Each structure stands twice: as C-alpha cells, then as structure tokens.
Amino acid sequence: MKKFDRERVLLAVAGPVIALAVAFALSSVVLIASGKNPVEPYTLMFEQASFSDIQVLIINQASMYYIAALAVAIGFRMNLFNIGVDGQYQLAAMMAAIVGAHANLPAALQVPLLLLTAVCTGAFWSGIAGVLKVTRGVSEVVATIMLNAIATSVIAYLWLPNVFGVKVGNNNTTGEMHSSGWIPGIDMGAAGEIYGLVILAVLLGIGYWVVLNRTRFGFDLRASGASESAAAASGVDPKRMVLTAMLLSGAIAGLAGLPILLGDAHTYNLNFPTGIGFLGIGIALLGRNSPVGIAFAALLWAWLDKASPELDFHGYDKEIAVIMQGLIVLSVVVSYEAVREWGLRRQQRRVGAELAAGHVLGSSDSTDGNNSQKEVAGR
C-alpha cells in the first residue's frame, strides 16, 4: 500500500476511534462521579451481545438505523442537512400501513405497492423542503424541522376513527395489514427471526456506494456538495442537484420503518418506534457517510439500545447507554475536526517539502545548464 493510501486510511479510521475512546472515557467519568463501577456496565453489555436472541434484536434494530442513516448521509454528501428523516419515515410507514390494511393484492404485487407507497411518501415530504430551498432559499434545516411537526399532526389526523384510524383499547392503530404484504423473516430458532427486509438494507448500502462512486450522478452530487460554483462551472445545475438529493434522501428515509412494519408489527400504532431519524444523524456522522462505516455505527447504536436493559438488574441505570450515544455524537464533531486539521497540516508539510525539493532540483538544473553553456562557449 502506498504511503498516501495509508495516510488516507489512517485519517478515515482515526476520527471514529478517537470519538469512541473519548465517549467511553467520559462515560466512565460519569459512572465514577455517581459512585458506580466504571467498568462493569461495559462488561455486562458485552456479555449480552454474546446471546443469540440479543444478536437478533441488534441486527433487526440496526437495519432500521442503517436505512435512516443512509438517508441522512445522502444529504450530507450534498452539503444538505436533512433533519426531517424522522417525520418522513413515520409518515411513510403510516401510509404504507393504511394501504396495506385496505388493499389486498397478491404478494407479488402487494409488497412492491407498499414499498412504492413508502418511497413516494418520503420523497414527497422531503421534496417540499427541497422545493422551498431552490425556489425561495429557505434553509432545509428549518423546513424539515417544521415538516416534522406537521407530519406528527397529519399522523394524528389520519388516526381519527372517521378517517383511517381504528381504536383498539387506548391505542390508536391503522388496523392490521393483509397478510399478503407481510415479509417473512429469517428463522433463527429459539433466538427469534431476523427481519426479511434486512436484505433491503444491505442492497441499499451497496446501491448507495455504487451510485456515489461509480456513476456520473454520484460525481455531480459530490461535486455540488463540495462547491456549487465549481459544479456550476462544469455544467451541473446546483438547484436541480439540491432537489434531487432531497427527493432521494426522503425516498430512502421512507423505507426506514418498513423492516419492523412488514416483518413484525403489521400495523402502525402508538407503539411504533420513533426517533430513528434523529439517531440516524449521529450514526451517519460516526460512519463518516461511508456505507461500511455506517453499518458498524448502526450495529454499535443497536447494541447500546438492546444490551443496556440488562443494567437495570445489576444496580445501574440503563440511561448510561443514552449518555454514551450523546457523548459519541459530541466526540465525533470534535475528533473529526481535530483529525481534519492534523491531516491538513501533514498535507501542507508534504507539499512544502516537495516544493523545496523541486526548487533545489531547479537550481541544480540551472547550474548544470550554465556550466554547459560555458563549455560550449569555451569550445
């Protein structure tokens, strides 16, 4: 491996490693300050990860985190902050649940219909922010935050019994979806079932990498995110790329809730998981917008979620995992900036050394040339 390649790998790995080390260290400080053992909670959670049923829960949870983080990462690559993934995936899941409860087609048609419903709903909801940005200059951060609140109100309206809601005890629900829209899981015996749409998360990760790194669209997207003026000079329409990126981000966000909806819940109700879109922001940051990095970050987040309940049985608060997640996000911001500055200084020193070497070489060539001219003149 070339020296330059080694440095790139080092810079890519250093940020997440430093962030995790700092987060674990600060979490230990919190435990010590509260009079707790700073090591035992981690030991207990690592032990939980060795149980097959917990592993299944981690994989299932990570699949939703992964899809949400990919949606956020697409915006990041375009220098956009789609903070509305949470509203996009919740509204998309509810619309898919409503369609699944009222349409009863053969499975070969029902499942694609539900996927398409979720994709279109998510794209439409994020597209509103995209249109506002390119036409009126409204910040996508402000627009998507407002759209999250509006999505919550729309969901509350759709839940009304005289609209699409069904009252089951004290729980609002869209009603159970027809079985033709269910996606069977991967049976792991006594450990449970892995959601069938975990495969979709893998395919989305592969597609994300291929599109961004092996297509002209991906190049235009990354170029526009790096410099809109430079991209425009090369013939790329920045406004079109902004709108396209928001639509694509929302489309993927719409799929984030489907693994549990089609694989286990089969309805949208008050118990449906929320907050996945916000967690996707931290996961995308930790994974540095890389499909592989995001996968590891999603598994880490899911492990903290699913292994932490064991802490309650040993005198520890499971909220320590939430503290760790927050510290990881803060540490990521600081460590990435520190690593970026370090890499920039190394690059400047390397360029300076090369320029110095070139200057010496140029002086030597000039001297040789003068000597040659003297020899010719002497002859």
Side-chain angles (χ1 to χ4, degrees), residues 60-362:
N60 287 340
Q61 190 75 7
S63 66
M64 295 187 292
Y65 287 166
Y66 186 72
I67 297 174
L70 285 181
V72 175
I74 289 174
F76 281 161
R77 298 305 293 264
M78 183 59 200
N79 204 23
L80 297 171
F81 197 175
N82 182 8
I83 206 170
V85 169
D86 204 66
Q88 292 154 21
Y89 98 84
Q90 288 189 59
L91 189 59
M94 184 173 203
M95 293 304 298
I98 292 173
V99 172
H102 291 81
N104 188 14
L105 303 174
L109 297 176
Q110 183 83 345
V111 172
L113 174 63
L114 299 181
L115 294 174
L116 184 62
T117 299
V119 166
C120 291
T121 302
F124 170 76
W125 208 245
S126 65
I128 296 174
V131 170
L132 289 173
K133 184 174 180 66
V134 299
T135 60
R136 309 303 300 174
V138 178
S139 168
E140 75 280 2
V141 175
V142 175
T144 50
I145 289 175
M146 295 299 100
L147 285 168
N148 279 341
I150 296 173
T152 301
S153 299
V154 171
I155 290 172
Y157 170 75
L158 294 175
W159 254 334
L160 294 176
N162 60 340
V163 185
F164 293 109
V166 177
K167 198 74 172 178
V168 179
N170 294 324
N171 199 348
N172 289 328
T173 176
T174 55
E176 187 172 69
M177 300 167 60
H178 291 287
S179 58
S180 59
W182 301 2
I183 295 181
I186 303 171
D187 188 12
M188 303 300 292
E193 284 190 350
I194 295 176
Y195 295 152
L197 282 184
V198 166
I199 298 174
L200 175 63
V202 175
L203 294 176
L204 286 174
I206 295 173
Y208 169 83
W209 183 86
V210 170
V211 169
L212 284 182
N213 297 281
R214 292 292 184 270
T215 67
R216 174 59 188 269
F217 170 77
F219 175 80
D220 291 344
L221 186 72
R222 288 182 284 114
S224 300
S227 174
E228 286 192 6
S229 57
S234 64
V236 178
D237 184 354
K239 291 186 176 181
R240 180 177 63 85
M241 293 306 299
V242 167
L243 182 57
T244 303
M246 288 300 295
L247 288 171
L248 187 57
S249 177
I252 294 180
L255 296 172
L258 293 198
I260 188 172
L261 178 66
L262 304 188
D264 182 36
H266 304 141
T267 186
Y268 189 96
N269 55 32
L270 292 174
N271 297 324
F272 200 82
T274 59
I276 291 177
F278 296 116
L279 293 177
I281 297 172
I283 293 170
L285 285 172
L286 182 60
R288 301 201 66 166
N289 300 324
S290 162
V292 176
I294 292 174
F296 282 111
L299 289 170
L300 171 65
W301 238 260
W303 166 66
L304 290 172
D305 281 345
K306 298 305 179 182
S308 59
E310 180 67 16
L311 299 179
D312 284 337
F313 299 102
H314 297 270
Y316 296 94
D317 296 323
K318 66 179 181 179
E319 282 71 23
I320 187 64
V322 180
I323 293 174
M324 287 183 63
Q325 290 173 343
L327 289 174
I328 287 173
V329 174
L330 292 176
S331 301
V332 160
V333 176
V334 176
S335 65
Y336 282 6
E337 181 61 23
V339 169
R340 189 188 70 82
E341 290 291 338
W342 177 72
L344 182 61
R345 286 196 297 269
R346 282 183 61 87
Q347 184 178 10
Q348 289 172 342
R349 287 196 296 268
R350 183 171 60 248
V351 171
E354 291 175 355
L355 289 175
H359 176 71
V360 171
L361 181 60

